[in-house]
């Protein structure tokens, strides 16, 4: 199991820290934190997944299934706060950008005509 050094750029702090741990360890934790009962935690986990995904690219593939169902559930839930909706949409978009084959079968569950 390889470990990845991720330069993680927080949108709130102009500071880069290194997460010298394996995605196999932190991805399930991030997935668990996708609980919309806790808006702030959920928002942060959602944002982190999107950022990590842009760093990992196609390496994200094994982890998409750990987070995608919860993200789709959150985006379809009534009364999800707007900020969380925005972050969720961005993160689903980022997942689709790096792993289209994993995300495209779910399109019907979140796409809307506009
Ligand atoms: C979410 O991130 C913000 C900004 O970094 C931080 O202030 C806040 O404490 C975080 N929320 C939780 C629940 O960790």
């Amino acid at each position: 199991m390889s470990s990845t050094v991720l330069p993680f750029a927080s949108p709130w702090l102009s500071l880069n820290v290194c997460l010298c741990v394996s995605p196999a360890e932190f991805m399930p934790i991030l997935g668990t934190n996708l609980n919309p009962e806790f808006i702030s935690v959920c928002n942060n986990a959602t944002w982190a997944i999107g950022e990590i995904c842009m760093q990992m690219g196609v390496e994200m593939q094994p982890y998409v299934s750990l987070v995608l169902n919860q993200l789709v559930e959150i985006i379809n839930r009534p009364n999800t706060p707007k900020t969380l909706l925005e972050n969720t949409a961005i993160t689903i978009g980022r997942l689709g950008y790096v792993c289209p084959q994993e995300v495209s079968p779910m399109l019907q569950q979140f796409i809307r005509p506009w």
Side-chain angles (χ1 to χ4, degrees), residues 15-44:
L15 180 76
N16 288 309
V17 293
C18 283
L19 297 177
C20 302
V21 286
S22 147
E25 291 168 55
F26 62 73
M27 280 303 173
I29 299 171
L30 286 172
T32 305
N33 283 336
L34 294 177
N35 178 352
E37 301 288 309
F38 306 103
I39 298 298
S40 178
V41 175
C42 188
N43 229 335
N44 289 5

Side-chain angles (χ1 to χ4, degrees), residues 4-113:
T4 315
V5 178
L6 297 166
F8 180 80
S10 158
W12 300 279
L13 301 170
S14 55
L15 180 76
N16 288 309
V17 293
C18 283
L19 297 177
C20 302
V21 286
S22 147
E25 291 168 55
F26 62 73
M27 280 303 173
I29 299 171
L30 286 172
T32 305
N33 283 336
L34 294 177
N35 178 352
E37 301 288 309
F38 306 103
I39 298 298
S40 178
V41 175
C42 188
N43 229 335
N44 289 5
T46 303
W47 190 257
I49 291 163
E51 288 289 317
I52 289 165
C53 165
M54 295 312 285
Q55 297 294 328
M56 287 179 57
V58 73
E59 309 266 307
M60 186 71 191
Q61 229 169 31
Y63 310 105
V64 173
S65 66
L66 288 177
V67 300
L68 187 57
N69 283 323
Q70 293 97 303
L71 292 170
V72 169
E73 215 167 280
I74 290 164
I75 212 168
N76 286 320
R77 221 167 162 259
N79 307 320
T80 296
K82 194 162 173 261
T83 51
L84 182 55
L85 275 182
E86 283 170 1
N87 277 340
T88 306
I90 291 167
T91 295
I92 293 174
R94 287 175 155 186
L95 284 167
Y97 179 70
V98 297
C99 298
Q101 289 187 340
E102 283 66 31
V103 177
S104 60
M106 297 286 281
L107 265 179
Q108 285 310 315
Q109 292 181 51
F110 59 82
I111 211 85
R112 298 276 184 282

